Amino acid sequence: MTELTQSRIWNELKSHSESLPHMRTLFAADKQRFDKMSTQACGLFLDYSKNRATEETLSLLFKLAEETGLESKIKAMFAGDIINTTEQRAVLHTALRAKPDQKIMLDGEDIVQEVQQTQQQMETFIESVTSGEWKGYTGKPISNIVSIGIGGSFLGPKIASQALRPYWNKEINCHFVGNVDATSITEKLKHLNAESTLFIMSSKSFGTQETLTNTLSAKDWFINQGGAQADIASHFVAVTSNVAKATEFGIDAKNIFPMWDWVGGRYSLWSAIGLPIALMIGMDNFREMLNGAHEMDQHFANTPLSENMPVLMGLFSLLYGNFYQAQSHVVLTYDHYLRGLPAYFQQLDMESNGKSVTLAGEQVDFSTGPVIWGGEGTNGQHAYHQLLHQGTALIPADFIMPLKSHNPLGEHHAQLASNCFGQTQALMQGRSFEEAIAELEGSSLSQSEKELIAKHKEMAGNKPSNTILMDKLTPATLGSLIALYEHRTFVQGAIWDINSFDQWGVELGKNLGNDVLSRLNADKDATELDSSSNGLINLFRQQSI
Ligand code: F6P
């Protein structure tokens, strides 16, 4: 048994969670519940009143946070302590959005200066491309950017650019290639002209197979389109912490944007990994995004737990996973521009907290990171909300929506909002058997038929949700929102005492994949592996089933 699950507070929470009344009862008992259980900061409004919680629940959760040292762990992260212990690294994505006059010392260096220098390098590059000064090999300006990367080097640039589409530079288009499936790059390149296309190759390690393969294919395409090896420098730039490998790969040293090992891939869009975002929305708007995240950093670091948005959201998620056996958490973005955000939060949280040993290497005896999934509202209501309402699994939900649309049109936004709020209400209050029967009054059904149908229409309710609102989706509110979820993830990992910043679990698949690749290309069938792997490899080699 871990110290955590043996702790008094853990067992107090366990028994407390078994005794809570239905949320309908809690709302009926306190007309001020919404006012008491909502808060705002950094351009975001959080309604957390539709959670299974009383004041006692909250005080127990805050006590758990205090007793597990959350506040000192927050300070340690911001101070640059080596909290990624298995890789002996600091965790300082917050330094990427620090103010220029801040000083953050790491290994004797003020890393804020390095960050500022890289931002200046980004700005100069962006100015050159968007002004038309940067020319392709036939003298044409750049009109298409192809961003090549995967994981945090793909999701961050793609999803943030998609979210900020109203801010895009009108003269340039951006395409994102991640998967090694050739369809991904082929479909993107088939409509492009090499003379006016610029590739941004993003790889923190500069060792990711998919990104290297896609970049080599992009170089082949460029040459086949008429470019020469000598023209590569005008059409390829790289973002990496491994400058030597990028130079060896053939990227001109002056076109390499550095990043650092104290930035995890899934926390890196604030670095030069965000270059495609900054190219599309402009450096001023990119800095607005950084400012939004910086505000959330300050909020997280300096606000008492009871008003601290990342702490509240992290604690509620932990409550449901550890005391109500919730295995997943759904993020529902009621904004088309934010349709990709669930996928971004999926890597952020699942690659951070999908762990099963504590920092000390002890097997956990409690649930850790949930499955994060979701999509855009209202589409989900016509796809999976049935399960949210009447399924057997408890799936806590986050609803995210701007109050104002970038595209006001008649009643559309009011209808979007009515669906968003109506769904959270239905999840909370459900529908009793008596209410279901009453809805069937006047129908031609017999009493027994009514009772049977009512059983099928009954909804337990008491399904928790958070609602996050913002005035409008802007670079600043997007920055705050993403930072909110980064810190929400941190809160859970800190209380569980796991390492949220390494990702050893992704290595084995990569290594075995490299071995399989060699067997696919071998001159004889595979026989040494398990029969399934041998069988699959040999079917591929035969190219027939
Ligand atoms: O999935 C493992 C991972 O290392 C992610 O953490 C990272 O975002 C992605 O692969 C890409 O890594 P790189 O930026 O080094 O190519």
Side-chain angles (χ1 to χ4, degrees):
M1 292 264 278
T2 57
E3 196 181 320
L4 182 62
T5 56
Q6 291 180 76
S7 66
R8 180 184 171 81
I9 183 59
W10 189 268
N11 290 287
E12 277 183 73
L13 262 168
K14 187 174 183 313
S15 51
H16 172 79
S17 63
E18 289 156 3
S19 66
L20 275 171
H22 195 290
M23 278 191 272
R24 283 175 88 149
T25 308
L26 297 176
F27 273 101
D30 182 357
K31 301 301 178 212
Q32 304 308 312
R33 187 173 171 84
F34 170 76
D35 293 336
K36 289 175 183 170
M37 296 179 74
S38 57
T39 187
Q40 59 184 332
C42 315
L44 303 178
F45 178 92
L46 170 64
D47 169 16
Y48 59 94
S49 61
K50 295 192 179 94
N51 275 291
R52 296 185 181 181
T54 60
E55 284 181 22
E56 186 188 359
T57 320
L58 287 169
S59 63
L60 289 171
L61 287 170
F62 296 142
K63 194 174 170 198
L64 173 68
E66 282 154 14
E67 292 188 7
T68 49
L70 175 62
E71 286 163 307
S72 57
K73 290 180 179 180
I74 294 171
K75 286 184 174 54
M77 173 175 69
F78 279 93
D81 291 6
I82 306 296
I83 63 169
N84 177 356
T85 49
T86 63
E87 294 179 302
Q88 280 299 294
R89 291 173 179 171
V91 172
L92 277 167
H93 45 281
T94 50
L96 298 171
R97 56 247 193 170
K99 292 299 181 197
D101 59 358
Q102 276 183 258
K103 237 177 160 35
I104 300 174
M105 300 307 288
L106 187 66
D107 303 328
E109 295 290 326
D110 174 12
I111 58 174
V112 173
Q113 290 316 306
E114 290 178 65
V115 170
Q116 292 300 315
Q117 283 157 19
T118 306
Q119 287 179 12
Q120 192 50 58
Q121 184 188 359
M122 290 170 70
E123 185 160 32
T124 306
F125 169 75
I126 289 165
E127 182 53 37
S128 166
V129 170
T130 54
S131 65
E133 179 197 334
W134 183 296
K135 298 275 194 275
Y137 70 94
T138 60
K140 287 184 179 172
I142 299 301
S143 56
N144 280 287
I145 303 292
V146 178
S147 172
I148 301 177
I150 199 161
S153 301
F154 167 80
L155 287 166
K158 179 175 184 343
I159 277 124
S161 300
Q162 187 179 70
L164 297 174
R165 186 71 181 78
Y167 298 85
W168 278 22
N169 177 318
K170 305 280 183 284
E171 307 304 314
I172 297 182
N173 208 342
C174 204
H175 316 270
F176 297 89
V177 172
N179 196 341
V180 75
D181 174 353
T183 301
S184 175
I185 193 165
T186 304
E187 283 296 336
K188 300 293 185 307
L189 296 184
K190 67 173 38 169
H191 305 297
L192 300 185
N193 176 338
E195 296 173 84
S196 54
T197 297
L198 179 73
F199 293 91
I200 300 177
M201 189 266 195
S202 298
S203 177
K204 178 183 171 184
S205 60
F206 215 89
T208 302
Q209 178 197 58
E210 298 94 327
T211 305
L212 294 173
T213 301
N214 276 321
T215 305
L216 285 170
S217 299
K219 280 173 85 172
D220 292 344
W221 173 83
F222 176 74
I223 300 294
N224 294 337
Q225 289 283 306
Q229 191 60 37
D231 303 318
I232 290 290
S234 306
H235 294 266
F236 286 78
V237 301
V239 182
T240 184
S241 63
N242 196 332
V243 175
K245 272 183 95 173
T247 313
E248 185 190 317
F249 187 85
I251 305 284
D252 189 314
K254 69 177 184 320
N255 294 340
I256 297 173
F257 297 83
M259 59 187 289
W260 305 274
D261 70 8
W262 38 265
V263 179
R266 53 194 173 273
Y267 296 90
S268 63
L269 72 80
W270 320 97
S271 71
I273 290 288
L275 187 58
I277 311 166
L279 252 172
M280 295 316 295
I281 67 173
M283 200 62 195
D284 290 347
N285 281 324
F286 186 71
R287 288 199 172 96
E288 273 302 298
M289 222 179 94
L290 295 176
N291 290 340
H294 177 75
E295 272 191 46
M296 185 53 73
D297 293 342
Q298 299 308 303
H299 169 79
F300 182 49
N302 305 316
T303 305
L305 299 182
S306 60
E307 289 299 315
N308 196 306
M309 291 171 90
V311 171
L312 285 161
M313 289 184 70
L315 287 172
F316 281 127
S317 182
L318 182 147
L319 175 72
Y320 301 123
N322 292 132
F323 300 100
Y324 291 100
Q325 292 71 50
Q327 294 296 307
S328 85
H329 185 103
V330 66
V331 178
L332 303 167
T333 49
Y334 277 68
D335 181 288
H336 187 61
Y337 289 129
L338 291 177
R339 61 191 180 279
L341 211 56
Y344 181 79
F345 291 157
Q346 200 169 60
Q347 182 199 9
L348 173 65
D349 204 85
M350 292 176 75
E351 197 167 72
S352 293
N353 290 341
K355 312 288 170 66
S356 52
V357 293
T358 64
L359 287 172
E362 188 182 11
Q363 192 65 35
V364 298
D365 55 351
F366 50 83
S367 296
T368 52
V371 173
I372 302 290
W373 62 286
E376 66 177 297
T378 60
N379 301 28
Q381 295 168 210
H382 305 273
Y384 43 75
H385 281 222
Q386 165 59 40
L387 186 143
L388 299 181
H389 288 289
Q390 286 190 317
T392 53
L394 175 70
I395 302 179
D398 290 348
F399 289 76
I400 301 171
M401 195 192 79
L403 292 179
K404 298 182 184 67
S405 169
H406 279 280
N407 304 292
L409 179 62
E411 221 198 19
H412 283 249
H413 206 61
Q415 285 187 17
L416 183 69
S418 67
N419 277 283
C420 180
F421 304 157
Q423 287 296 312
T424 67
Q425 189 185 6
L427 286 168
M428 181 278 289
Q429 71 183 38
R431 173 168 55 204
S432 68
F433 177 74
E434 292 71 23
E435 286 162 337
I437 284 276
E439 287 176 11
L440 294 166
E441 281 317 308
S443 75
S444 59
L445 297 174
S446 68
Q447 185 56 27
S448 61
E449 285 167 340
K450 283 179 190 172
E451 287 174 8
L452 175 60
I453 295 298
K455 274 291 165 208
H456 288 267
K457 292 181 75 172
E458 196 175 354
M459 296 162 66
N462 211 28
K463 311 270 187 179
S465 67
N466 295 305
T467 301
I468 299 168
L469 303 177
M470 63 198 77
D471 184 55
K472 195 164 188 176
L473 177 57
T474 66
T477 52
L478 180 68
S480 301
L481 182 65
I482 293 174
L484 167 61
Y485 274 81
E486 287 177 344
H487 297 321
R488 170 190 177 279
T489 296
F490 177 90
V491 165
Q492 296 176 78
I495 291 172
W496 291 326
D497 202 35
I498 60 177
N499 186 345
S500 299
F501 301 101
D502 59 11
Q503 52 283 321
W504 300 109
V506 301
E507 275 193 350
L508 178 62
K510 285 181 184 176
N511 297 340
L512 292 177
N514 291 333
D515 173 62
V516 167
L517 183 61
S518 65
R519 296 172 192 276
L520 289 174
N521 296 328
D523 53 10
K524 63 181 178 57
D525 275 358
T527 54
E528 296 103 49
L529 302 178
D530 61 273
S531 60
S532 167
S533 302
N534 289 336
L536 296 171
I537 289 168
N538 296 334
L539 281 174
F540 188 88
R541 286 167 53 82
Q542 291 148 27
Q543 283 294 294
S544 68
I545 50 177

